[in-house]
C-alpha cells in the first residue's frame, strides 16, 4: 500500500496518513484471507459468524448483488477452487474432472445467507473477497483522507484512487501494465481521478502460458480463456474492482454491456492475442 498526500499543514497531512493506513488495516481485519484472525477467515472456518464486521457485510452484500446481476459469472464462493488448482500446479498438473466436479458442487452464491446479525454458509462453502477487497480498501482510505480535509491524494492499495492533483500541481496519471510484458506500461490514463481496478491473467498463474490463473469461471472451475486483462474506471473502487473481475469471466461483449449499465464507468479490454 502507498499513499501520496499533499496539503499545506504537515501535522494535518501526517494525521490523514495515519487514518488512511488505519482504514486499510480495518478492511484487512474484516476480509483478508491472509489473516487467520480476520472475520472472513473465521466465517470460512466455522461456517457461521455472529455480529459480523460492517466492512464484511458491505463487501459480501455487494458481491452477492453482483452475482445476481452477472448471472453467477461473479461468485464469491469460488474459494474451494483455489487449493484444487494450487495443489495440482505444485505437481505440474491440471486438476482432473472428478476433482473439479467435487469443488464445483460446493460453489454457488445461493449457498450464503446474510443477515445484519449473522452470516451462514452451507456446509463445504468457502468465500473469497479478493476480487473486491483492494478496491474497497481504496474507497475507505480515500474517505478517511477526505474526512481529514485532504483534497489532493493518490491511493495505491493494489487498486487505485485519486483526487485533486499531484503536489507539483500537475494532474494525476495512472499507468496500465502491459499484460504481455508486466513490467512495461501499455497505456496511461491522464488525467486520472476517481478509481481504477485491473484484473489480469498475469497476477497469479498456475501455468507458464497463463491459460490457468487465479480468476475462475464459476460454471466450469477453469480460467476464462479470451482476455488477458480488464481495467475498469468507476466512481468507487469497489465497483471498479468487482466489474473488472466479472468482465474477465463474461468476455468482451457481455462485459462491455455490464459496465455500460453502471453510470460513470468505463472499461479497457486486452485480449490474449
Amino acid at each position: 500500500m502507498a499513499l501520496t498526500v499533499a496539503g499545506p499543514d504537515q501535522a494535518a497531512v501526517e494525521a490523514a496518513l495515519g487514518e488512511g493506513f488505519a482504514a486499510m488495516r480495518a478492511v484487512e481485519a474484516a476480509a483478508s484471507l491472509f489473516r487467520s484472525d480476520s472475520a472472513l477467515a473465521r466465517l470460512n472456518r466455522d461456517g457461521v459468524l455472529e455480529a459480523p464486521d460492517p466492512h464484511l457485510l458491505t463487501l459480501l452484500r455487494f458481491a452477492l448483488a453482483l452475482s445476481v446481476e452477472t448471472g453467477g459469472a461473479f461468485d464469491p464462493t469460488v474459494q474451494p477452487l483455489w487449493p484444487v488448482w494450487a495443489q495440482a500446479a505444485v505437481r505440474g498438473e491440471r486438476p482432473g474432472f472428478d476433482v473439479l466436479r467435487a469443488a464445483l458442487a460446493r460453489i454457488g452464491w445461493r449457498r450464503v445467507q446474510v443477515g445484519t446479525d449473522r452470516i451462514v454458509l452451507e456446509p463445504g462453502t468457502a468465500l473469497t473477497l479478493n476480487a473486491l477487497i483492494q478496491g474497497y480498501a481504496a474507497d475507505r482510505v480515500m474517505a478517511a483522507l477526505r474526512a481529514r480535509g485532504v483534497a489532493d491524494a493518490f491511493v495505491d492499495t493494489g487498486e487505485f484512487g485519486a483526487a485533486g492533483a499531484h503536489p507539483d500541481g500537475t494532474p494525476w496519471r495512472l499507468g496500465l501494465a502491459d499484460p504481455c510484458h508486466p513490467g512495461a506500461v501499455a497505456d496511461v490514463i491522464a488525467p486520472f481521478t476517481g478509481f481504477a481496478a485491473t484484473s489480469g491473467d498475469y497476477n497469479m498463474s498456475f501455468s507458464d502460458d497463463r491459460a490457468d490463473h487465479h480468476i475462475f469461471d464459476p460454471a466450469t472451475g477453469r480460467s476464462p480463456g479470451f482476455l488477458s486483462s480488464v481495467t475498469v474506471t468507476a466512481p468507487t473502487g469497489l465497483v471498479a474492482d468487482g466489474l473488472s473481475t466479472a468482465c474477465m469471466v463474461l468476455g468482451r461483449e457481455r462485459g462491455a454491456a455490464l459496465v455500460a449499465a453502471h453510470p460513470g464507468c468505463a472499461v479497457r479490454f486486452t485480449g490474449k492475442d
Side-chain angles (χ1 to χ4, degrees):
M1 175 179 174
L3 303 181
T4 303
V5 175
D9 185 326
Q10 181 176 349
V13 166
E14 290 178 354
L17 287 171
E19 296 206 5
F21 283 107
M24 179 67 184
R25 290 192 293 272
V27 174
E28 290 178 342
S32 173
L33 285 178
F34 301 103
R35 288 183 50 167
S36 61
D37 63 340
S38 74
L40 180 60
R42 288 185 282 118
L43 173 60
N44 280 344
R45 182 175 62 248
D46 301 335
V48 62
L49 185 67
E50 307 286 350
D53 185 295
H55 291 309
L56 180 58
L57 281 174
T58 297
L59 284 160
L60 190 48
R61 284 172 172 157
F62 179 86
L64 295 177
L66 188 57
S67 298
V68 175
E69 184 178 8
T70 61
F74 183 97
D75 193 321
T77 68
V78 295
Q79 180 61 17
L81 290 166
W82 177 264
V84 166
W85 280 95
Q87 291 163 17
V90 169
R91 301 190 299 270
E93 302 172 352
R94 303 180 84 194
F97 175 78
D98 289 341
V99 174
L100 274 182
R101 183 173 60 180
L104 287 171
R106 301 165 56 195
I107 291 170
W109 58 268
R110 294 180 179 87
R111 298 169 62 88
V112 185
Q113 301 299 319
V114 180
T116 302
D117 300 321
R118 197 169 192 245
I119 303 173
V120 180
L121 307 181
E122 290 188 14
T125 305
L127 295 168
T128 174
L129 295 169
N130 286 355
L132 302 175
I133 188 172
Q134 292 178 326
Y136 179 67
D139 289 336
R140 301 318 306 156
V141 172
M142 193 66 80
L145 298 179
R146 283 197 302 266
R148 279 284 182 172
V150 172
D152 301 305
F154 188 97
V155 171
D156 175 2
T157 60
E159 308 300 353
F160 301 93
H166 190 277
D168 65 9
T170 60
W172 296 112
R173 296 161 55 88
L174 179 65
L176 303 182
D178 183 342
C180 297
H181 307 91
V185 175
D187 198 2
V188 175
I189 301 175
F192 171 56
T193 57
F195 296 86
T198 297
S199 296
D201 61 8
Y202 55 90
N203 289 326
M204 175 62 200
S205 297
F206 299 112
S207 59
D208 291 340
D209 63 0
R210 304 205 304 254
D212 305 316
H213 52 84
H214 70 294
I215 299 173
F216 303 117
D217 183 338
T220 66
R222 301 187 181 278
S223 299
F226 300 105
L227 295 172
S228 189
S229 72
V230 178
T231 297
V232 173
T233 54
T236 73
L238 181 58
V239 169
D241 213 357
L243 294 186
S244 68
T245 303
C247 284
M248 283 287 292
V249 177
L250 290 170
R252 192 183 300 263
E253 184 175 343
R254 294 169 63 203
L258 173 68
V259 173
H262 288 258
C265 296
V267 61
R268 290 168 167 80
F269 296 99
T270 302
K272 283 189 178 289
D273 56 356

